[in-house]
Amino acid sequence: MTDKKIKSINDYSVPKATFYVLSHPNLFLRMVTFIVTVLKDFFFIQFARKFGFTKTPIAKVDNELDDKIPFTPYKIGTYLDFTAFWIRPMAMMIEKLDHKKARFYIEDYLKKITLAYHSASRVYRMCMSTTARPKYYKMFYFRVIHFFDPHYLCVPSLHISVVSLVWSFYRDAFKDMQELTDEEKDFYIKELYDGAIKIAETVLYIKQHSVNCIPAALYMMTFLMRPHFTAEDGIQFLRDMFVKTNIPEETQKELKDYMYFIYERFLLVGITDDNWIAPIRSWLKEYCINSNQAYIAKKIK
């Protein structure tokens, strides 16, 4: 039975961790680098394309399986929690560890999340991707998303990339922390994993991504985040999605089998190519041809 005295990571303060990071020169510079990367490699490239300053091809990556997942607007809060999700563990470490050790882990994490955003942008600059997103404006948060996100950066999903990084990075970090009891380590690792799965599912529930976007993100992280994130981690992550759901078991199996197939395809093709982007490029071209977007396939370089 879990010790009830263990403080949930969800109870740690995001503002406190943010203030701590911004008040230390090295961490401040790392955070600034990350923010600049997000602005440049996520927001700028989308709006530059939206307003016609660039001509990057945009592929539609919808799959018929997406229609079997019900649009569930109330899950928007969980979807938007993903930023706080990766900041809260920092607050926990600041409280549990000496500051020198906490700064080491925080700086390392900021390096890795910056790498994830920049690496994903290499795919986006080659070929952007989109899905059919419901024109739903009844809730304030949906209006914000539709205003600030042109929805051109689906493959690979950064939401999936970030939550899989949070789980795998902090899992390994916690295991090395002598300041934590074994019970605390198990509790925090499970809490982060459950949170990562819960957030990952929302990208499909609120129709921000397709089933194609998830394995592409896990494949990217498998190559970028060694040894933290392995192929076994990717398979486990897919296996544990939609376990606690009203989606029929037969549909769950369809969804998972398809994502397994795409993930394993990326891995197998990637083994023979040092350029991890090549399998994604190949898949995008083939997907466009098979979905009557041959004119887009010709533009993917």
Side-chain angles (χ1 to χ4, degrees):
M1 184 174 179
T2 301
D3 186 348
K4 293 183 179 179
K5 293 182 180 179
I6 297 177
K7 181 178 178 181
S8 168
I9 289 180
N10 290 332
D11 293 332
Y12 284 90
S13 170
V14 170
K16 180 178 179 180
T18 303
F19 177 79
Y20 180 88
V21 169
L22 297 180
S23 65
H24 288 79
N26 287 347
L27 298 183
F28 174 80
L29 290 174
R30 286 291 174 194
M31 181 62 81
V32 169
T33 300
F34 168 66
I35 293 171
V36 170
T37 300
V38 172
L39 293 174
K40 175 174 63 75
D41 291 341
F42 184 82
F43 289 105
F44 176 76
I45 60 174
Q46 288 194 86
F47 282 100
R49 180 64 179 87
K50 180 177 180 178
F51 293 120
F53 296 115
T54 59
K55 301 296 182 182
T56 310
I58 303 175
K60 296 178 181 179
V61 292
D62 301 277
N63 187 281
E64 59 185 13
L65 289 173
D66 299 327
D67 295 332
K68 297 189 176 185
I69 302 169
F71 177 53
T72 316
Y74 77 86
K75 292 184 180 289
I76 185 66
T78 302
Y79 174 83
L80 292 174
D81 188 56
F82 95 116
T83 298
F85 180 69
W86 62 259
I87 295 177
R88 292 190 198 105
M90 296 180 181
M92 186 273 281
M93 290 193 298
I94 292 166
E95 184 173 311
K96 293 278 188 180
L97 311 180
D98 69 77
H99 285 196
K100 182 178 180 181
K101 192 169 185 179
R103 287 196 295 270
F104 168 80
Y105 285 117
I106 293 171
E107 184 172 7
D108 192 23
Y109 178 83
L110 290 173
K111 288 179 184 177
K112 287 179 168 57
I113 192 172
T114 301
L115 175 63
Y117 270 81
H118 177 66
S119 299
S121 77
R122 294 178 58 196
V123 177
Y124 306 149
R125 285 184 164 86
M126 172 189 68
C127 179
M128 294 183 174
S129 47
T130 190
T131 61
R133 188 166 60 172
K135 294 181 179 179
Y136 183 85
Y137 303 103
K138 292 182 180 180
M139 296 172 66
F140 171 74
Y141 288 134
F142 276 96
R143 295 196 294 271
V144 171
I145 288 176
H146 283 254
F147 183 81
F148 285 105
D149 180 12
H151 194 51
Y152 295 157
L153 309 182
C154 288
V155 172
S157 163
L158 276 167
H159 246 72
I160 300 299
S161 302
V162 170
V163 297
S164 61
L165 171 62
V166 172
W167 162 56
S168 58
F169 176 84
Y170 286 113
R171 172 196 60 192
D172 294 350
F174 293 161
K175 288 179 180 178
D176 290 337
M177 293 179 188
Q178 297 178 354
E179 296 84 352
L180 301 180
T181 66
D182 289 342
E183 189 173 15
E184 285 177 318
K185 292 176 183 179
D186 292 341
F187 179 84
Y188 289 136
I189 291 170
K190 183 179 186 305
E191 185 177 27
L192 284 180
Y193 184 66
D194 291 346
I197 294 294
K198 190 175 180 181
I199 293 173
E201 291 171 350
T202 66
V203 306
L204 298 177
Y205 277 122
I206 69 167
K207 305 301 178 180
Q208 278 291 107
H209 284 287
S210 164
V211 289
N212 289 315
C213 311
I214 294 175
L218 295 176
Y219 161 72
M220 181 181 78
M221 299 307 282
T222 304
F223 271 74
L224 293 181
M225 299 302 163
R226 298 168 175 163
H228 294 297
F229 195 83
T230 65
E232 290 76 13
D233 289 332
I235 292 170
Q236 177 185 341
F237 199 90
L238 292 173
R239 183 184 67 232
D240 290 336
M241 290 184 68
F242 299 109
V243 171
K244 299 177 181 179
T245 180
N246 292 325
I247 295 176
E249 287 188 14
E250 183 178 344
T251 302
Q252 288 184 44
K253 186 176 186 306
E254 278 188 278
L255 294 170
K256 293 180 184 182
D257 285 350
Y258 179 81
M259 290 191 288
Y260 287 144
F261 172 75
I262 299 299
Y263 180 58
E264 290 173 357
R265 168 184 166 157
F266 284 142
L267 290 175
L268 290 171
V269 176
I271 287 174
T272 62
D273 198 320
D274 292 333
N275 179 11
W276 66 268
I277 295 177
I280 296 181
R281 179 194 294 115
S282 175
W283 178 84
L284 281 167
K285 280 178 169 286
E286 182 181 317
Y287 199 80
C288 285
I289 292 170
N290 292 337
S291 57
N292 299 316
Q293 301 177 82
Y295 64 101
I296 296 292
K298 292 178 182 178
K299 298 178 182 179
I300 301 174
K301 305 299 182 183

